[in-house]
Amino acid sequence: MEYIVEKIGMSRTITVPSKPVTLLRVLDAKVCEVNEGTAIVAYNSGKKMNKAIEGQQKKYNLPTEFNRFVTLEVANAEAGDLDLAPLADASAVKTTFNTKGRGFSGAMKRWNFGGGPASHGHRFGRRTGSIGNAEWPGRVMKGKKMPGQYGNTQNSVKNEIVSFDAENKIIAVLGSVSGANGALGRVKVAK
């Protein structure tokens, strides 16, 4: 069973010794259509409306706050509110978020390179250094660690559930989860 969640942030338990936890809030969602275990689910992403979304809302007779649609594996047998019962029984979940985007970064930041000496008139600085080979093969090999886009990639982690507050729809998972606070992601029941 999958759910759309928002990352609230990190905290810790009050037990001794305390454990680091990440708080995830399950978004309100409506199941529009069920098809052999998978379903079209509508949720509020906070993004702008457009004509295509308005057409989907009319098709499924939804209120305006549900402005995004996604296909998920759900426990529901028919359309209606999303069933949260599997989360109460779960002991572990697989969380999928986009990592924080750091833009175009140099090789030292992106790949944790050491750089050159910092004194005595060197001209190395924070540059990548040599990237090619000799006459053969006479090109830069594929997969060479170079400057470029760093972050904003999808990352999945398996986390143990510490607690689930069904009233407030908040899951506390052990350890950290990728992404910025307020980011939207998915949670899939693993056990």
Side-chain angles (χ1 to χ4, degrees):
M1 306 316 112
E2 290 181 281
Y3 301 93
I4 302 293
V5 293
E6 177 189 1
K7 181 178 174 181
I8 297 172
M10 288 196 73
S11 185
R12 62 184 179 179
T13 60
I14 57 171
T15 59
V16 177
S18 68
K19 296 177 183 176
V21 294
T22 303
L23 303 175
L24 305 171
R25 184 173 59 86
V26 179
L27 295 182
D28 292 328
K30 295 275 186 195
V31 176
C32 301
E33 211 176 281
V34 181
N35 217 351
E36 298 172 12
T38 62
I40 296 173
V41 177
Y43 66 98
N44 183 2
S45 68
K47 293 184 180 176
K48 286 185 185 177
M49 294 285 288
N50 62 29
K51 295 253 183 199
I53 294 170
E54 286 177 16
Q56 290 287 333
Q57 286 175 332
K58 286 179 186 171
K59 177 182 175 183
Y60 295 118
N61 199 15
L62 292 169
T64 54
E65 68 257 13
F66 295 104
N67 60 4
R68 284 292 180 265
F69 297 85
V70 70
T71 305
L72 299 174
E73 292 177 24
V74 295
N76 294 41
E78 55 190 47
D81 289 333
L82 195 61
D83 185 17
L84 298 176
L87 276 176
D89 304 331
S91 61
V93 290
K94 180 182 168 187
T95 57
T96 304
F97 279 85
N98 272 7
T99 59
K100 288 181 182 178
R102 293 166 179 87
F104 189 96
S105 298
M108 283 184 71
K109 180 174 180 177
R110 188 179 185 201
W111 301 109
N112 198 25
F113 286 172
S119 61
H120 296 297
H122 78 96
R123 293 181 180 165
F124 193 137
R126 295 176 58 90
R127 285 185 277 153
T128 313
S130 177
I131 60 167
N133 297 315
E135 188 176 349
W136 188 88
R139 62 190 169 93
V140 178
M141 302 300 282
K142 279 189 177 176
K144 184 71 180 162
K145 293 179 177 179
M146 295 176 73
Q149 167 67 38
Y150 178 33
N152 197 24
T153 55
Q154 199 174 74
N155 186 27
S156 296
V157 182
K158 191 172 179 182
N159 297 85
E160 182 185 319
I161 293 180
V162 176
S163 69
F164 173 60
D165 180 3
E167 187 179 327
N168 296 318
K169 299 180 183 177
I170 294 177
I171 310 167
V173 295
L174 190 64
S176 62
V177 169
S178 299
N181 294 344
L184 296 183
R186 291 183 182 206
V187 161
K188 185 174 186 177
V189 175
K191 281 189 202 174

